[in-house]
Amino acid sequence: MKKFCVSLLLLSIFLSSCVQKNGTAINNNNGNTIKIGLFADLTGQTSAFGQSSKNGAQLAVDEINATGGVVGKKLEIVIEDDQGRPEQAKTVVSKLINQDKVQVILGEAASTNSLAAAPVAQEAKIPMVTHASTNEQVTQVGNYIFRICFIDSFQGSVMAKFAANNLKAKTAAIIGDVNSTYSKGLTEVFEKEFTNLGGKIVSKQSYTQNDPDFKGQLTTVRALNPDVIYIPGYYGQVGIIAKQARELGMTMPLLGGDGWDAPEIWKLGGEGLKNTFISNHYAADNPAPEVQNFVKSYKEKYGVQPDSMAVLAYDAVKLLADAVKRAGGANSEKLRDAIAQTKDFAAVTGKISINEKRDAVKLAVVLELDPSKSAYLYKETIYPNQ
Amino acid sequence: MTLDSGQQEKMDTFIQQIINGLTIGSIYALIALGYTMVYGILRLINFAHGDIYMVGAYAGFMLATALGFAVNPSVFGFIVTLLGSMTIAAAIGMAIERFAYRPVRKYSKMTTLITAIGMSLLIEYLFVFIFSGTPRSFPQLLPNENYTLFGNATISTSQILIFVVSLLLMIFLQWIVYQTKIGKAMRAVSYNINSAKLMGINTDFVIAFTFALGSALAAAGGVLTAQYNPKIEPLMGIITGLKAFVAAVLGGIGNIPGAVLGGLLIGAAETLVVGYGSYIGVPSTYRDAVAFAILILVLLIRPAGLLGTNIQEKV
């Protein structure tokens, strides 16, 4: 019992010291580097996102440092693995801020993890830029939280428009991931927009990332025979859903979002990915020189085609460097204002302007998946407020 | 009686759901057999058993990739991968028994149980460490075809494989337990380990053999599942293992036909929840909750399980 009391005492001392650290203001403009803290899922269920984000960010940092850095300082990336778990995301972001003293936070891809970590950055007044979290709530956490990708209300409406206008669909079913903020947000928007365009949602099904199969949900949907199925999930599940849908003889177009974009999907989904369309941040086959230059240098460095997480992380670092230049340093308040004032920044994924909600206003593309070449084919560009 | 097209379609959908349910049910049954045999012999719930299922899937993945079966699907490749991963898993199962459970067997049952939980976590995170948590896709070892049974109800090659292979393995197990000498020894040890020892049975060997047998069945489950749902990751054994454990308890833990019955019931129940739950206000994601709700009900109403017999605990 005595031992227990002593250890409890030690634990409480340790914890209180952590709390104190949290409270101190962070202001270190000294030193010759500007530290960017990247938190990403490097070993969990969405680790393909994390690895690509890491690669994309590193490429941008290398390019910037090769040309002398920003305002006379080099950029440095400090990476932490959150294993794709929200509680872990929160922990590693406090470590990045309190221990590594980073001046800006970059991440995460998955909205659920960004949402968990954002309050920590907001409290410490460290600007946080998420490159790929598309759920609305993320930037609503506070005035230090930004994003450089479009939001779900736009992404969901893009696919609803595409289904109704291009595919002439009258009925749709939705199969969503019940534990993902991203998936729930997209489901809501797609349903609203598709109904507004005169379509009808005939069935809404859900799954969890650990489900052993998806044929139960698919069989129910099959009986209703919708024109399209919208599956706003992540690549680990959607590939298998597509495969099993085809096994059940369901041939209708399947629609998804940027969560599908990872190299693993080709192996998981195989031929089942024929006749599927996704909304995404950029098209790798876009002939514009800024896109092709990026694709070329990324392929040279890593030997693979960059996916959207890679290009967004790259853009995020470039945008941050631009903001640091305009702010004349990495003072947290000035940097925050500089990011907020970003207007028409020419990024690989298109022109980015940050609006008053700290969200990026930018275009989205619709891509068709081609499993025989493991490639995404450009179908259409959809601009906001159009 | 003739059905109109609407009823016909509802019937097809129902039959399809039952096929889907029995597919995963067969996998649960294969894993549940390992739980039930080990419990029957040692009165130990081997929590690491669900992870052996995962190890089996990874072993199959490595074998198929290394031997080149991933590129050229063939029946031969499938059989080699299946038997190879069963052998590897059997060896690992025996090693776990030898080095983790046997040294603590002489202490209380609780000690072995805690060791089993530790073992489970060790395997899971060792695999996260080695292979990272990223889901990998298991290669297709046999060309996948779909067959229409009647109406709209279809069955795929991977589902047929699951049914056929698990049925063969269950018959094989039944033969071992009831027709062979080692099977007789297993039953003797399960009846009373001390008396069996006095009769000259090498109980250590029998226990090791039981672990090997159970682990091989779980590995077969792993490879078969991976043909059906090709995503494998180090933590895939947790939920599936738990459900297989529930299946074993449902059927009557320690009872071999009970484990099979329990597995099939759990598989069918959770698929029906996905398919029809929404009509009674139960969302499809409650499929996992259903397995555990069934467990609680069984423990309340029939603690010994469906086919189990009440054993008086010796005092």
Side-chain angles (χ1 to χ4, degrees):
Chain A
M1 193 59 205
K2 205 174 165 192
K3 251 189 195 164
F4 176 73
C5 287
V6 171
S7 50
L8 201 67
L9 191 72
L10 285 175
L11 187 72
S12 57
I13 293 171
F14 171 72
L15 283 179
S16 58
S17 64
C18 289
V19 171
Q20 265 179 0
K21 260 193 200 159
N22 253 335
T24 51
I26 289 138
N27 196 5
N28 40 333
N29 281 330
N30 43 2
N32 288 323
T33 56
I34 292 173
K35 282 188 182 177
I36 302 174
L38 171 68
F39 71 113
D41 175 5
L42 299 177
T43 54
Q45 286 257 8
T46 51
S47 53
F49 292 164
Q51 298 293 352
S52 293
S53 306
K54 184 180 128 190
N55 291 348
Q58 192 61 52
L59 179 65
V61 166
D62 291 350
E63 282 181 16
I64 292 163
N65 286 345
T67 55
V70 222
V71 293
K73 292 178 184 181
K74 298 265 183 202
L75 295 182
E76 184 194 337
I77 296 196
V78 187
I79 300 172
E80 280 291 336
D81 177 16
D82 62 28
Q83 300 161 1
R85 304 200 328 241
E87 65 282 1
Q88 190 69 9
K90 206 171 167 177
T91 314
V92 297
V93 167
S94 8
K95 178 187 171 279
L96 284 170
I97 292 173
N98 298 315
Q99 248 168 289
D100 299 316
K101 310 277 182 210
V102 299
Q103 279 109 331
V104 58
I105 294 281
L106 177 60
E108 231 261 27
S111 299
T112 315
N113 299 336
S114 294
L115 262 177
V120 181
Q122 175 65 27
E123 187 137 312
K125 295 202 184 332
I126 294 290
M128 166 171 152
V129 175
T130 168
H131 56 298
S133 290
T134 48
N135 187 277
E136 262 93 319
Q137 294 165 20
V138 175
T139 50
Q140 289 164 10
V141 168
N143 61 349
Y144 277 83
I145 317 297
F146 297 89
R147 92 177 93 220
I148 63 133
C149 51
F150 47 65
I151 53 175
D152 284 342
S153 61
F154 177 56
Q155 180 171 202
S157 69
V158 164
M159 279 332 264
K161 276 180 197 153
F162 183 77
N165 301 337
N166 299 46
L167 300 173
K168 311 278 176 235
K170 297 270 176 288
T171 53
I174 307 178
I175 304 180
D177 178 344
V178 74
N179 290 329
S180 136
T181 319
Y182 162 80
S183 191
K184 279 189 274 192
L186 281 178
T187 301
E188 217 170 275
V189 176
F190 183 90
E191 184 178 11
K192 199 171 126 212
E193 189 70 30
F194 190 69
T195 318
N196 278 347
L197 292 168
K200 188 166 174 272
I201 304 291
V202 290
S203 173
K204 267 164 71 182
Q205 299 288 323
S206 49
Y207 63 88
T208 70
Q209 298 195 353
N210 293 318
D211 277 2
D213 80 334
F214 306 98
K215 280 201 175 167
Q217 291 92 328
L218 287 167
T219 304
T220 309
V221 170
R222 186 180 68 175
L224 301 161
N225 195 24
D227 295 335
V228 294
I229 306 179
Y230 186 52
I231 313 169
Y234 292 123
Y235 65 92
Q237 287 75 41
V238 294
I240 295 162
I241 296 179
K243 179 175 172 269
Q244 296 193 338
R246 303 313 189 204
E247 279 182 15
L248 288 169
M250 302 159 77
T251 52
M252 65 282 273
L254 307 179
L255 313 177
D258 56 340
W260 288 42
D261 185 8
E264 275 294 312
I265 195 171
W266 304 113
K267 284 193 243 160
L268 292 169
E271 285 297 298
L273 295 170
K274 254 188 208 155
N275 201 18
T276 54
F277 304 88
I278 61 168
S279 52
N280 210 342
H281 303 273
Y282 95 120
D285 56 357
N286 182 342
E290 61 269 23
V291 176
Q292 287 315 314
N293 286 343
F294 164 75
V295 171
K296 192 167 152 268
S297 38
Y298 190 90
K299 267 188 177 165
E300 263 167 29
K301 195 168 159 95
Y302 303 108
V304 289
Q305 184 90 0
D307 54 19
S308 49
M309 297 303 141
V311 64
L312 286 170
Y314 177 89
D315 278 353
V317 172
K318 285 285 171 89
L319 186 142
L320 273 175
D322 177 67
V324 169
K325 204 188 284 168
R326 281 184 283 125
N331 173 292
S332 77
E333 219 165 289
K334 280 187 192 155
L335 180 57
R336 192 206 77 83
D337 294 340
I339 300 172
Q341 284 152 12
T342 304
K343 184 125 186 57
D344 286 336
F345 175 76
V348 178
T349 53
K351 281 206 171 95
I352 299 176
S353 299
I354 302 290
N355 69 9
E356 70 285 355
K357 287 178 174 163
R358 297 172 300 283
D359 295 328
V361 181
K362 62 195 288 201
L363 58 87
V365 291
V366 177
L367 307 175
E368 180 174 4
L369 276 67
D370 179 0
S372 62
K373 293 200 203 77
S374 300
Y376 300 92
L377 310 174
Y378 170 77
K379 291 297 282 184
E380 183 146 12
T381 303
I382 297 181
Y383 293 92
N385 62 44
Q386 183 186 304
Chain B
M1 187 184 84
T2 50
L3 297 169
D4 66 43
S5 66
Q7 279 171 316
Q8 181 62 47
E9 206 172 292
K10 278 196 182 123
M11 198 63 209
D12 289 350
T13 304
F14 180 73
I15 290 169
Q16 184 75 58
Q17 296 290 26
I18 293 291
I19 294 173
N20 300 339
L22 294 183
T23 311
I24 40 175
S26 306
I27 302 291
Y28 294 154
L30 278 179
I31 308 169
L33 286 169
Y35 276 110
T36 231
M37 285 195 292
V38 167
Y39 184 84
I41 284 190
L42 282 183
R43 302 286 178 271
L44 161 72
I45 294 162
N46 178 14
F47 276 108
H49 190 62
D51 301 301
I52 295 291
Y53 155 79
M54 175 275 292
V55 171
Y58 269 86
F61 172 73
M62 303 289 286
L63 275 176
T65 317
L67 299 177
F69 299 138
V71 210
N72 302 312
S74 67
V75 179
F76 173 73
F78 172 73
I79 294 173
V80 171
T81 308
L82 183 69
L83 294 181
S85 90
M86 285 170 75
T87 315
I88 294 171
I92 293 175
M94 278 161 78
I96 292 173
E97 191 275 329
R98 177 66 190 82
F99 297 109
Y101 301 155
R102 197 180 296 177
V104 297
R105 207 194 294 151
K106 55 181 177 287
Y107 305 119
S108 76
K109 295 241 166 67
M110 192 52 87
T111 313
T112 331
L113 189 75
I114 305 286
T115 311
I117 295 172
M119 204 61 226
S120 163
L121 290 169
L122 176 69
I123 299 175
E124 281 158 19
Y125 288 95
L126 195 66
F127 271 67
V128 170
F129 179 71
I130 300 173
F131 293 98
S132 97
T134 189
R136 276 158 207 273
S137 74
F138 197 95
Q140 195 80 48
L141 297 174
L142 284 176
N144 203 13
E145 303 279 336
N146 295 305
Y147 306 95
T148 306
L149 293 178
F150 46 87
N152 242 336
T154 61
I155 188 163
S156 66
T157 314
S158 50
Q159 282 175 305
I160 297 174
L161 269 184
I162 291 179
F163 289 130
V164 173
V165 176
S166 47
L167 188 69
L168 286 178
L169 287 172
M170 285 165 200
I171 293 172
F172 175 67
L173 180 71
Q174 196 74 5
W175 177 76
I176 288 191
V177 172
Y178 289 100
Q179 307 289 330
T180 62
K181 208 172 164 196
I182 181 79
K184 205 177 218 176
M186 282 168 72
R187 281 179 289 144
V189 172
S190 147
Y191 194 73
N192 189 324
I193 188 164
N194 288 325
S195 311
K197 212 182 270 174
L198 290 172
M199 295 299 135
I201 293 173
N202 182 349
T203 50
D204 279 350
F205 175 76
V206 172
I207 291 167
F209 181 79
T210 309
F211 270 89
L213 207 56
S215 302
L217 292 178
V223 173
L224 290 171
T225 313
Q227 286 299 294
Y228 181 55
N229 174 350
K231 187 191 78 167
I232 59 170
E233 42 112 5
L235 304 185
M236 68 190 267
I238 300 178
I239 280 288
T240 312
L242 268 178
K243 285 194 207 153
F245 169 64
V246 172
V249 175
L250 173 64
I253 192 146
N255 183 306
I256 289 177
V260 176
L261 179 68
L264 295 176
L265 279 177
I266 295 278
E270 65 170 64
T271 307
L272 291 179
V273 166
V274 173
Y276 298 99
S278 51
Y279 294 117
I280 51 165
V282 181
S284 53
T285 35
Y286 278 27
R287 66 188 298 165
D288 293 348
V290 168
F292 300 108
I294 292 176
L295 175 68
I296 293 170
L297 275 181
V298 169
L299 290 179
L300 284 175
I301 299 165
R302 216 182 133 78
L306 295 176
L307 303 184
T309 40
N310 255 320
I311 308 162
Q312 290 272 305
E313 285 286 334
K314 274 163 263 164
V315 193

